Amino acid sequence: MVGFWGRRRREAQEQQESADADLGRRARTALVTADERIRTTEDELAFAVAELGETPTRELRTGLDAVKTHLAEAFHLHQLNHDEIPDAVEEVRTRNARILQLCEWAESVLDERTEALGERVARVRRAPRILQRVRDDISALRGRLPQMRETIERLGERYSASALQRVRITAEEAEELLDFAERSADLSERRRAAGRAEEANLALETATETVRRAASIVDGVDGFEIEAMRAQATLGDVIEDSRGDLIAARSAPRTPAVTHAVERLEAALAEIASPGGRSDPFADLASVSEANAALDAAVAQARERAAHPLPSAEHVWHEVGVADRALGIADGLINGHRGWIGADARTRFAEAQRIRFEIDPLVVPEETRERAQQLARRTAQLADEAVRLAQRDIDSSRPDDDDWGGWGGHRGARGGAGVLGPVLGGVLLGGLLDDIFD
């Protein structure tokens, strides 16, 4: 047995020594890799500063300084592991784990900062191609300006000022943007030639964004004409549908809501500009569509109401009276047999009482009478269920004979079971029966 445990200890010690040796090798490798990564990043930072300037590269410089500080700690820990004075195995193991942690942190920081900067550096290196594309776009957009002016003039003859508010940018304003983009592109080129990379990049970004805005304006004019034509086509369909709905509404019940909806749709149709006039198809389409939908809803509601007329207030009060009588019966049964009534019957009764309190304010207004009727019927239903469940509890608890079986030992309980049963049931629940008959 002693030999067995000795062998087990030696095996465990050998495993720990192997793990410690592996940890040490990993710490040394990570230290070398992190140090080399710092040197490489310093070179990348120098190139980035030359291409982007100081401001865009500030975060990478800050991260690099922090990494150097922490890696100095890692080198110090590694030095302690190789001092002439031998250390405890646990101390060496702790230092190596800390070295690994610091090196992994350094790698992650540098990965994050260089990745964020990489796209900007790549963009700068593509600057000549980007600059040429900006100039090509400016030239192409300038070629479209005459057509844009013709389109705006044509739109002004066909559509009202309110419609043209959706195209508030004129050809002159688009041309101003293109001039500004061209000046920005020239400035970027001059600043880059002068070695002022940060200003060159800013001017290039400005030129790119300005060209994008000018393109959206020019495209927006063409897009407006297309969308206006679609709106006009849709408006024709909606007008035809609305006229058919007005004819159909004549056979619908003439409720105030239907009358108002008919007048509103007729007014919306009358406001549409005559053919050949300047119009706003977007506003016309919105107005007619909204009035058409309102008429459809009013007619549907009127027909539904005709098929299912509102109950009169007197009829609703009658149903409320039925509910009140059902509540009275349930109340009398539960209060008269409290000792025997279980949770189900009490819950139905409480819910019926809660719903009953909601009914009275709903009876008079026409729009809420149906709700009041539903609540009254629900109250009566719950009250009836409470009575049925209460009767079930009473029947299941009633003794088979007048002797009252288990309560026979209490003098005075015999012979009066039918009257005292519910009372004694409550007394039992309160634990007072023995005191009463003492």
Side-chain angles (χ1 to χ4, degrees):
M1 182 63 68
V2 173
F4 172 77
W5 287 112
R7 185 170 63 256
R8 292 290 299 272
R9 284 196 298 270
R10 286 195 301 273
E11 291 175 354
Q13 183 177 0
E14 290 173 357
Q15 290 177 355
Q16 184 62 56
E17 289 175 353
S18 176
D20 289 341
D22 179 65
L23 180 62
R25 285 191 297 272
R26 290 165 52 204
R28 291 190 297 273
T29 302
L31 196 57
V32 172
T33 302
D35 184 58
E36 189 61 30
R37 177 63 187 279
I38 288 176
R39 298 175 189 277
T40 303
T41 305
E42 286 178 332
D43 295 338
E44 293 178 358
L45 177 60
F47 290 127
V49 170
E51 294 178 329
L52 300 175
E54 293 289 344
T55 303
T57 58
R58 185 176 296 130
E59 288 191 5
L60 177 57
R61 184 180 298 280
T62 302
L64 189 58
D65 291 341
V67 166
K68 288 180 179 179
T69 300
H70 286 77
L71 202 65
E73 178 188 348
F75 276 117
H76 177 65
L77 293 174
H78 185 67
Q79 179 61 40
L80 291 177
N81 284 344
H82 295 81
D83 281 345
E84 296 180 359
I85 303 175
D87 296 309
V89 176
E90 291 78 6
E91 293 178 348
V92 175
R93 183 185 306 132
T94 302
R95 289 174 191 151
N96 285 331
R98 176 61 176 167
I99 290 171
L100 271 178
Q101 181 186 28
L102 291 171
C103 292
E104 290 172 356
W105 174 83
E107 293 275 2
S108 66
V109 169
L110 295 180
D111 284 343
E112 178 184 355
R113 302 295 172 89
T114 54
E115 182 179 353
L117 202 59
E119 176 58 31
R120 301 191 66 175
V121 172
R123 180 179 176 84
V124 169
R125 291 173 180 172
R126 298 195 307 268
R129 296 196 300 274
I130 295 174
L131 193 60
Q132 185 58 47
R133 187 170 67 245
V134 167
R135 294 190 186 281
D136 292 342
D137 291 342
I138 292 174
S139 178
L141 290 171
R142 285 193 189 280
R144 294 175 60 186
L145 288 181
Q147 181 183 358
M148 177 183 177
R149 290 187 177 92
E150 294 177 2
T151 302
I152 291 177
E153 184 177 355
R154 185 174 63 254
L155 294 176
E157 296 173 355
R158 297 178 57 185
Y159 301 110
S160 65
S162 62
L164 292 176
Q165 285 297 313
R166 294 171 173 81
V167 190
R168 298 175 183 174
I169 306 298
T170 65
E172 286 70 25
E173 291 171 312
E175 191 167 14
E176 286 182 15
L177 287 172
L178 293 176
D179 290 341
F180 183 73
E182 193 164 18
R183 289 194 298 271
S184 299
D186 293 341
L187 179 63
S188 175
E189 197 168 29
R190 291 196 302 271
R191 289 293 186 267
R192 193 170 303 281
R196 298 160 69 174
E198 189 170 348
E199 295 177 4
N201 296 331
L202 179 59
L204 180 58
E205 290 176 1
T206 302
T208 304
E209 174 60 20
T210 307
V211 168
R212 188 196 63 79
R213 289 184 56 196
S216 68
I217 292 170
V218 176
D219 293 339
V221 173
D222 293 336
F224 170 84
E225 186 172 27
I226 294 172
E227 291 303 321
M229 293 173 63
R230 289 176 178 172
Q232 282 183 315
T234 305
L235 177 61
D237 295 337
V238 174
I239 290 174
E240 183 178 356
D241 180 67
S242 297
R243 288 170 178 162
D245 288 345
L246 287 173
I247 295 173
R250 296 172 185 170
S251 61
R254 299 300 290 184
T255 64
V258 171
T259 301
H260 175 71
V262 167
E263 293 173 352
R264 179 182 173 187
L265 181 54
E266 289 176 342
L269 292 174
E271 289 177 0
I272 296 176
S274 60
R278 298 171 65 197
S279 65
D280 185 346
F282 302 100
D284 292 342
L285 178 60
S287 175
V288 175
S289 297
E290 185 178 352
N292 181 279
L295 178 59
D296 289 342
V299 169
Q301 184 178 17
R303 287 174 175 164
E304 175 68 18
R305 181 59 59 216
H308 303 88
L310 279 173
S312 64
E314 292 76 12
H315 183 72
V316 176
W317 281 123
H318 172 73
E319 299 219 31
V320 172
V322 172
D324 287 341
R325 286 190 291 275
L327 279 172
I329 294 172
D331 186 36
L333 185 63
I334 292 173
N335 279 326
H337 301 78
R338 284 181 296 178
W340 293 343
I341 307 303
D344 292 343
R346 295 171 187 267
T347 299
R348 300 297 195 285
F349 181 64
E351 181 65 9
Q353 287 180 312
R354 185 191 67 79
I355 295 176
R356 176 61 183 86
F357 290 138
E358 300 179 12
I359 295 176
D360 289 351
L362 303 178
V363 176
V364 177
E366 289 186 356
E367 62 271 14
T368 57
R369 281 182 196 162
E370 282 186 318
R371 175 65 176 162
Q373 186 180 52
Q374 293 171 359
L375 292 177
R377 291 174 178 174
R378 180 58 176 163
T379 300
Q381 178 188 3
L382 289 170
D384 291 341
E385 289 182 10
V387 169
R388 178 177 57 80
L389 292 170
Q391 189 60 55
R392 182 200 65 186
D393 294 339
I394 294 170
D395 292 342
S396 63
S397 303
R398 189 187 301 277
D400 294 334
D401 53 36
D402 290 337
D403 188 52
W404 248 37
W407 290 358
H410 294 286
R411 187 170 301 171
R414 298 177 182 273
V419 177
L420 295 181
V423 177
L424 293 178
V427 167
L428 279 174
L429 290 176
L432 300 175
L433 188 63
D434 289 335
D435 293 338
I436 290 177
F437 286 100
D438 187 6

PDB file of all heavy atoms in Angstrom, residues 157-183:
ATOM      1  N   GLU A 157     -44.919  72.923 -65.181  1.00  0.00           N
ATOM      2  CA  GLU A 157     -46.124  73.135 -65.990  1.00  0.00           C
ATOM      3  C   GLU A 157     -47.231  72.144 -65.639  1.00  0.00           C
ATOM      4  O   GLU A 157     -48.407  72.419 -65.869  1.00  0.00           O
ATOM      5  CB  GLU A 157     -45.777  73.006 -67.474  1.00  0.00           C
ATOM      6  CG  GLU A 157     -44.811  74.079 -67.977  1.00  0.00           C
ATOM      7  CD  GLU A 157     -44.370  73.819 -69.401  1.00  0.00           C
ATOM      8  OE1 GLU A 157     -44.753  72.754 -69.941  1.00  0.00           O
ATOM      9  OE2 GLU A 157     -43.650  74.662 -69.964  1.00  0.00           O
ATOM     10  N   ARG A 158     -46.874  71.019 -65.086  1.00  0.00           N
ATOM     11  CA  ARG A 158     -47.865  69.960 -64.842  1.00  0.00           C
ATOM     12  C   ARG A 158     -48.302  69.851 -63.392  1.00  0.00           C
ATOM     13  O   ARG A 158     -49.435  69.448 -63.113  1.00  0.00           O
ATOM     14  CB  ARG A 158     -47.273  68.605 -65.278  1.00  0.00           C
ATOM     15  CG  ARG A 158     -46.967  68.507 -66.757  1.00  0.00           C
ATOM     16  CD  ARG A 158     -46.346  67.169 -67.097  1.00  0.00           C
ATOM     17  NE  ARG A 158     -47.187  66.049 -66.713  1.00  0.00           N
ATOM     18  CZ  ARG A 158     -46.829  64.767 -66.812  1.00  0.00           C
ATOM     19  NH1 ARG A 158     -45.615  64.475 -67.285  1.00  0.00           N
ATOM     20  NH2 ARG A 158     -47.643  63.818 -66.450  1.00  0.00           N
ATOM     21  N   TYR A 159     -47.403  70.216 -62.467  1.00  0.00           N
ATOM     22  CA  TYR A 159     -47.705  69.986 -61.048  1.00  0.00           C
ATOM     23  C   TYR A 159     -47.685  71.293 -60.274  1.00  0.00           C
ATOM     24  O   TYR A 159     -46.974  72.246 -60.627  1.00  0.00           O
ATOM     25  CB  TYR A 159     -46.695  68.997 -60.455  1.00  0.00           C
ATOM     26  CG  TYR A 159     -46.689  67.671 -61.164  1.00  0.00           C
ATOM     27  CD1 TYR A 159     -45.607  67.293 -61.963  1.00  0.00           C
ATOM     28  CD2 TYR A 159     -47.764  66.807 -61.073  1.00  0.00           C
ATOM     29  CE1 TYR A 159     -45.603  66.085 -62.638  1.00  0.00           C
ATOM     30  CE2 TYR A 159     -47.773  65.599 -61.737  1.00  0.00           C
ATOM     31  CZ  TYR A 159     -46.694  65.238 -62.527  1.00  0.00           C
ATOM     32  OH  TYR A 159     -46.705  64.044 -63.203  1.00  0.00           O
ATOM     33  N   SER A 160     -48.461  71.321 -59.206  1.00  0.00           N
ATOM     34  CA  SER A 160     -48.600  72.525 -58.399  1.00  0.00           C
ATOM     35  C   SER A 160     -47.353  72.760 -57.556  1.00  0.00           C
ATOM     36  O   SER A 160     -46.492  71.884 -57.416  1.00  0.00           O
ATOM     37  CB  SER A 160     -49.821  72.394 -57.482  1.00  0.00           C
ATOM     38  OG  SER A 160     -49.605  71.335 -56.552  1.00  0.00           O
ATOM     39  N   ALA A 161     -47.319  73.974 -56.974  1.00  0.00           N
ATOM     40  CA  ALA A 161     -46.162  74.319 -56.135  1.00  0.00           C
ATOM     41  C   ALA A 161     -46.065  73.391 -54.935  1.00  0.00           C
ATOM     42  O   ALA A 161     -44.966  73.036 -54.497  1.00  0.00           O
ATOM     43  CB  ALA A 161     -46.278  75.772 -55.685  1.00  0.00           C
ATOM     44  N   SER A 162     -47.215  73.000 -54.362  1.00  0.00           N
ATOM     45  CA  SER A 162     -47.182  72.094 -53.204  1.00  0.00           C
ATOM     46  C   SER A 162     -46.583  70.753 -53.575  1.00  0.00           C
ATOM     47  O   SER A 162     -45.861  70.136 -52.794  1.00  0.00           O
ATOM     48  CB  SER A 162     -48.596  71.905 -52.649  1.00  0.00           C
ATOM     49  OG  SER A 162     -49.448  71.314 -53.631  1.00  0.00           O
ATOM     50  N   ALA A 163     -46.867  70.278 -54.783  1.00  0.00           N
ATOM     51  CA  ALA A 163     -46.286  69.005 -55.221  1.00  0.00           C
ATOM     52  C   ALA A 163     -44.790  69.142 -55.428  1.00  0.00           C
ATOM     53  O   ALA A 163     -44.007  68.260 -55.057  1.00  0.00           O
ATOM     54  CB  ALA A 163     -46.960  68.535 -56.508  1.00  0.00           C
ATOM     55  N   LEU A 164     -44.377  70.270 -56.003  1.00  0.00           N
ATOM     56  CA  LEU A 164     -42.956  70.455 -56.292  1.00  0.00           C
ATOM     57  C   LEU A 164     -42.137  70.728 -55.038  1.00  0.00           C
ATOM     58  O   LEU A 164     -40.903  70.742 -55.111  1.00  0.00           O
ATOM     59  CB  LEU A 164     -42.780  71.612 -57.286  1.00  0.00           C
ATOM     60  CG  LEU A 164     -43.317  71.327 -58.695  1.00  0.00           C
ATOM     61  CD1 LEU A 164     -43.181  72.565 -59.568  1.00  0.00           C
ATOM     62  CD2 LEU A 164     -42.575  70.153 -59.322  1.00  0.00           C
ATOM     63  N   GLN A 165     -42.788  70.948 -53.915  1.00  0.00           N
ATOM     64  CA  GLN A 165     -42.043  71.087 -52.658  1.00  0.00           C
ATOM     65  C   GLN A 165     -41.253  69.820 -52.347  1.00  0.00           C
ATOM     66  O   GLN A 165     -40.287  69.850 -51.593  1.00  0.00           O
ATOM     67  CB  GLN A 165     -42.999  71.399 -51.503  1.00  0.00           C
ATOM     68  CG  GLN A 165     -43.525  72.822 -51.500  1.00  0.00           C
ATOM     69  CD  GLN A 165     -42.413  73.831 -51.316  1.00  0.00           C
ATOM     70  OE1 GLN A 165     -41.565  73.686 -50.443  1.00  0.00           O
ATOM     71  NE2 GLN A 165     -42.397  74.849 -52.158  1.00  0.00           N
ATOM     72  N   ARG A 166     -41.686  68.704 -52.929  1.00  0.00           N
ATOM     73  CA  ARG A 166     -40.951  67.455 -52.717  1.00  0.00           C
ATOM     74  C   ARG A 166     -39.617  67.462 -53.463  1.00  0.00           C
ATOM     75  O   ARG A 166     -38.757  66.630 -53.210  1.00  0.00           O
ATOM     76  CB  ARG A 166     -41.797  66.266 -53.165  1.00  0.00           C
ATOM     77  CG  ARG A 166     -43.040  66.065 -52.304  1.00  0.00           C
ATOM     78  CD  ARG A 166     -43.973  65.022 -52.911  1.00  0.00           C
ATOM     79  NE  ARG A 166     -45.057  64.710 -52.010  1.00  0.00           N
ATOM     80  CZ  ARG A 166     -46.159  65.453 -51.877  1.00  0.00           C
ATOM     81  NH1 ARG A 166     -46.293  66.556 -52.586  1.00  0.00           N
ATOM     82  NH2 ARG A 166     -47.113  65.105 -51.032  1.00  0.00           N
ATOM     83  N   VAL A 167     -39.445  68.376 -54.411  1.00  0.00           N
ATOM     84  CA  VAL A 167     -38.180  68.537 -55.113  1.00  0.00           C
ATOM     85  C   VAL A 167     -37.751  69.986 -54.899  1.00  0.00           C
ATOM     86  O   VAL A 167     -37.913  70.842 -55.750  1.00  0.00           O
ATOM     87  CB  VAL A 167     -38.314  68.236 -56.620  1.00  0.00           C
ATOM     88  CG1 VAL A 167     -36.936  68.181 -57.276  1.00  0.00           C
ATOM     89  CG2 VAL A 167     -39.029  66.919 -56.831  1.00  0.00           C
ATOM     90  N   ARG A 168     -37.213  70.262 -53.743  1.00  0.00           N
ATOM     91  CA  ARG A 168     -36.912  71.638 -53.369  1.00  0.00           C
ATOM     92  C   ARG A 168     -35.554  72.101 -53.903  1.00  0.00           C
ATOM     93  O   ARG A 168     -35.240  73.271 -53.840  1.00  0.00           O
ATOM     94  CB  ARG A 168     -36.930  71.775 -51.842  1.00  0.00           C
ATOM     95  CG  ARG A 168     -38.299  71.461 -51.252  1.00  0.00           C
ATOM     96  CD  ARG A 168     -38.278  71.484 -49.755  1.00  0.00           C
ATOM     97  NE  ARG A 168     -39.575  71.112 -49.198  1.00  0.00           N
ATOM     98  CZ  ARG A 168     -39.816  70.942 -47.910  1.00  0.00           C
ATOM     99  NH1 ARG A 168     -38.845  71.097 -47.040  1.00  0.00           N
ATOM    100  NH2 ARG A 168     -41.019  70.615 -47.490  1.00  0.00           N
ATOM    101  N   ILE A 169     -34.727  71.206 -54.379  1.00  0.00           N
ATOM    102  CA  ILE A 169     -33.400  71.563 -54.865  1.00  0.00           C
ATOM    103  C   ILE A 169     -33.480  71.886 -56.353  1.00  0.00           C
ATOM    104  O   ILE A 169     -34.033  71.103 -57.137  1.00  0.00           O
ATOM    105  CB  ILE A 169     -32.404  70.421 -54.628  1.00  0.00           C
ATOM    106  CG1 ILE A 169     -32.423  70.014 -53.139  1.00  0.00           C
ATOM    107  CG2 ILE A 169     -31.010  70.843 -55.048  1.00  0.00           C
ATOM    108  CD1 ILE A 169     -32.006  71.111 -52.203  1.00  0.00           C
ATOM    109  N   THR A 170     -32.934  73.014 -56.746  1.00  0.00           N
ATOM    110  CA  THR A 170     -32.939  73.395 -58.154  1.00  0.00           C
ATOM    111  C   THR A 170     -31.655  72.946 -58.830  1.00  0.00           C
ATOM    112  O   THR A 170     -30.702  72.508 -58.184  1.00  0.00           O
ATOM    113  CB  THR A 170     -33.069  74.923 -58.280  1.00  0.00           C
ATOM    114  OG1 THR A 170     -31.889  75.531 -57.721  1.00  0.00           O
ATOM    115  CG2 THR A 170     -34.293  75.433 -57.549  1.00  0.00           C
ATOM    116  N   ALA A 171     -31.635  73.114 -60.155  1.00  0.00           N
ATOM    117  CA  ALA A 171     -30.438  72.744 -60.907  1.00  0.00           C
ATOM    118  C   ALA A 171     -29.263  73.634 -60.526  1.00  0.00           C
ATOM    119  O   ALA A 171     -28.108  73.193 -60.521  1.00  0.00           O
ATOM    120  CB  ALA A 171     -30.725  72.846 -62.406  1.00  0.00           C
ATOM    121  N   GLU A 172     -29.561  74.900 -60.190  1.00  0.00           N
ATOM    122  CA  GLU A 172     -28.487  75.807 -59.784  1.00  0.00           C
ATOM    123  C   GLU A 172     -27.831  75.330 -58.493  1.00  0.00           C
ATOM    124  O   GLU A 172     -26.600  75.394 -58.340  1.00  0.00           O
ATOM    125  CB  GLU A 172     -29.035  77.220 -59.611  1.00  0.00           C
ATOM    126  CG  GLU A 172     -29.355  77.943 -60.908  1.00  0.00           C
ATOM    127  CD  GLU A 172     -30.576  77.340 -61.610  1.00  0.00           C
ATOM    128  OE1 GLU A 172     -31.412  76.723 -60.904  1.00  0.00           O
ATOM    129  OE2 GLU A 172     -30.683  77.462 -62.845  1.00  0.00           O
ATOM    130  N   GLU A 173     -28.634  74.854 -57.564  1.00  0.00           N
ATOM    131  CA  GLU A 173     -28.066  74.366 -56.301  1.00  0.00           C
ATOM    132  C   GLU A 173     -27.247  73.095 -56.520  1.00  0.00           C
ATOM    133  O   GLU A 173     -26.211  72.891 -55.888  1.00  0.00           O
ATOM    134  CB  GLU A 173     -29.190  74.122 -55.295  1.00  0.00           C
ATOM    135  CG  GLU A 173     -29.840  75.417 -54.834  1.00  0.00           C
ATOM    136  CD  GLU A 173     -31.084  75.159 -54.022  1.00  0.00           C
ATOM    137  OE1 GLU A 173     -31.916  74.352 -54.467  1.00  0.00           O
ATOM    138  OE2 GLU A 173     -31.231  75.771 -52.957  1.00  0.00           O
ATOM    139  N   ALA A 174     -27.695  72.240 -57.411  1.00  0.00           N
ATOM    140  CA  ALA A 174     -26.920  71.041 -57.745  1.00  0.00           C
ATOM    141  C   ALA A 174     -25.589  71.435 -58.371  1.00  0.00           C
ATOM    142  O   ALA A 174     -24.540  70.832 -58.086  1.00  0.00           O
ATOM    143  CB  ALA A 174     -27.724  70.149 -58.689  1.00  0.00           C
ATOM    144  N   GLU A 175     -25.611  72.462 -59.244  1.00  0.00           N
ATOM    145  CA  GLU A 175     -24.377  72.907 -59.867  1.00  0.00           C
ATOM    146  C   GLU A 175     -23.421  73.496 -58.836  1.00  0.00           C
ATOM    147  O   GLU A 175     -22.201  73.306 -58.926  1.00  0.00           O
ATOM    148  CB  GLU A 175     -24.684  73.939 -60.951  1.00  0.00           C
ATOM    149  CG  GLU A 175     -23.497  74.267 -61.830  1.00  0.00           C
ATOM    150  CD  GLU A 175     -23.890  75.045 -63.073  1.00  0.00           C
ATOM    151  OE1 GLU A 175     -25.040  75.545 -63.109  1.00  0.00           O
ATOM    152  OE2 GLU A 175     -23.069  75.126 -63.993  1.00  0.00           O
ATOM    153  N   GLU A 176     -23.953  74.190 -57.831  1.00  0.00           N
ATOM    154  CA  GLU A 176     -23.100  74.729 -56.771  1.00  0.00           C
ATOM    155  C   GLU A 176     -22.399  73.596 -56.022  1.00  0.00           C
ATOM    156  O   GLU A 176     -21.211  73.699 -55.673  1.00  0.00           O
ATOM    157  CB  GLU A 176     -23.936  75.554 -55.797  1.00  0.00           C
ATOM    158  CG  GLU A 176     -24.361  76.909 -56.333  1.00  0.00           C
ATOM    159  CD  GLU A 176     -25.145  77.687 -55.296  1.00  0.00           C
ATOM    160  OE1 GLU A 176     -25.092  77.294 -54.104  1.00  0.00           O
ATOM    161  OE2 GLU A 176     -25.805  78.661 -55.664  1.00  0.00           O
ATOM    162  N   LEU A 177     -23.125  72.531 -55.762  1.00  0.00           N
ATOM    163  CA  LEU A 177     -22.516  71.387 -55.075  1.00  0.00           C
ATOM    164  C   LEU A 177     -21.398  70.782 -55.922  1.00  0.00           C
ATOM    165  O   LEU A 177     -20.344  70.404 -55.394  1.00  0.00           O
ATOM    166  CB  LEU A 177     -23.583  70.329 -54.766  1.00  0.00           C
ATOM    167  CG  LEU A 177     -24.562  70.666 -53.641  1.00  0.00           C
ATOM    168  CD1 LEU A 177     -25.671  69.623 -53.577  1.00  0.00           C
ATOM    169  CD2 LEU A 177     -23.846  70.750 -52.305  1.00  0.00           C
ATOM    170  N   LEU A 178     -21.619  70.669 -57.195  1.00  0.00           N
ATOM    171  CA  LEU A 178     -20.589  70.101 -58.060  1.00  0.00           C
ATOM    172  C   LEU A 178     -19.360  71.006 -58.109  1.00  0.00           C
ATOM    173  O   LEU A 178     -18.216  70.507 -58.130  1.00  0.00           O
ATOM    174  CB  LEU A 178     -21.148  69.881 -59.461  1.00  0.00           C
ATOM    175  CG  LEU A 178     -22.240  68.804 -59.574  1.00  0.00           C
ATOM    176  CD1 LEU A 178     -22.776  68.747 -61.001  1.00  0.00           C
ATOM    177  CD2 LEU A 178     -21.712  67.442 -59.156  1.00  0.00           C
ATOM    178  N   ASP A 179     -19.564  72.320 -58.120  1.00  0.00           N
ATOM    179  CA  ASP A 179     -18.420  73.245 -58.087  1.00  0.00           C
ATOM    180  C   ASP A 179     -17.630  73.066 -56.798  1.00  0.00           C
ATOM    181  O   ASP A 179     -16.380  73.043 -56.815  1.00  0.00           O
ATOM    182  CB  ASP A 179     -18.903  74.691 -58.209  1.00  0.00           C
ATOM    183  CG  ASP A 179     -19.444  75.004 -59.597  1.00  0.00           C
ATOM    184  OD1 ASP A 179     -19.120  74.243 -60.537  1.00  0.00           O
ATOM    185  OD2 ASP A 179     -20.194  75.990 -59.733  1.00  0.00           O
ATOM    186  N   PHE A 180     -18.358  72.954 -55.690  1.00  0.00           N
ATOM    187  CA  PHE A 180     -17.682  72.778 -54.404  1.00  0.00           C
ATOM    188  C   PHE A 180     -16.923  71.459 -54.356  1.00  0.00           C
ATOM    189  O   PHE A 180     -15.806  71.374 -53.822  1.00  0.00           O
ATOM    190  CB  PHE A 180     -18.707  72.847 -53.274  1.00  0.00           C
ATOM    191  CG  PHE A 180     -18.111  72.739 -51.910  1.00  0.00           C
ATOM    192  CD1 PHE A 180     -17.398  73.782 -51.359  1.00  0.00           C
ATOM    193  CD2 PHE A 180     -18.244  71.570 -51.159  1.00  0.00           C
ATOM    194  CE1 PHE A 180     -16.833  73.680 -50.094  1.00  0.00           C
ATOM    195  CE2 PHE A 180     -17.686  71.455 -49.903  1.00  0.00           C
ATOM    196  CZ  PHE A 180     -16.983  72.525 -49.368  1.00  0.00           C
ATOM    197  N   ALA A 181     -17.512  70.394 -54.904  1.00  0.00           N
ATOM    198  CA  ALA A 181     -16.843  69.091 -54.936  1.00  0.00           C
ATOM    199  C   ALA A 181     -15.570  69.165 -55.765  1.00  0.00           C
ATOM    200  O   ALA A 181     -14.532  68.579 -55.399  1.00  0.00           O
ATOM    201  CB  ALA A 181     -17.784  68.031 -55.504  1.00  0.00           C
ATOM    202  N   GLU A 182     -15.632  69.890 -56.875  1.00  0.00           N
ATOM    203  CA  GLU A 182     -14.446  70.002 -57.728  1.00  0.00           C
ATOM    204  C   GLU A 182     -13.339  70.777 -57.018  1.00  0.00           C
ATOM    205  O   GLU A 182     -12.158  70.396 -57.078  1.00  0.00           O
ATOM    206  CB  GLU A 182     -14.818  70.682 -59.037  1.00  0.00           C
ATOM    207  CG  GLU A 182     -13.749  70.568 -60.101  1.00  0.00           C
ATOM    208  CD  GLU A 182     -14.274  70.899 -61.476  1.00  0.00           C
ATOM    209  OE1 GLU A 182     -15.349  71.548 -61.563  1.00  0.00           O
ATOM    210  OE2 GLU A 182     -13.638  70.497 -62.464  1.00  0.00           O
ATOM    211  N   ARG A 183     -13.692  71.839 -56.296  1.00  0.00           N
ATOM    212  CA  ARG A 183     -12.684  72.602 -55.556  1.00  0.00           C
ATOM    213  C   ARG A 183     -12.082  71.747 -54.440  1.00  0.00           C
ATOM    214  O   ARG A 183     -10.878  71.811 -54.170  1.00  0.00           O
ATOM    215  CB  ARG A 183     -13.298  73.871 -54.976  1.00  0.00           C
ATOM    216  CG  ARG A 183     -13.637  74.915 -56.035  1.00  0.00           C
ATOM    217  CD  ARG A 183     -13.909  76.275 -55.399  1.00  0.00           C
ATOM    218  NE  ARG A 183     -15.050  76.234 -54.494  1.00  0.00           N
ATOM    219  CZ  ARG A 183     -16.307  76.452 -54.869  1.00  0.00           C
ATOM    220  NH1 ARG A 183     -16.591  76.718 -56.145  1.00  0.00           N
ATOM    221  NH2 ARG A 183     -17.276  76.421 -53.996  1.00  0.00           N
TER     222      ARG A 183
END
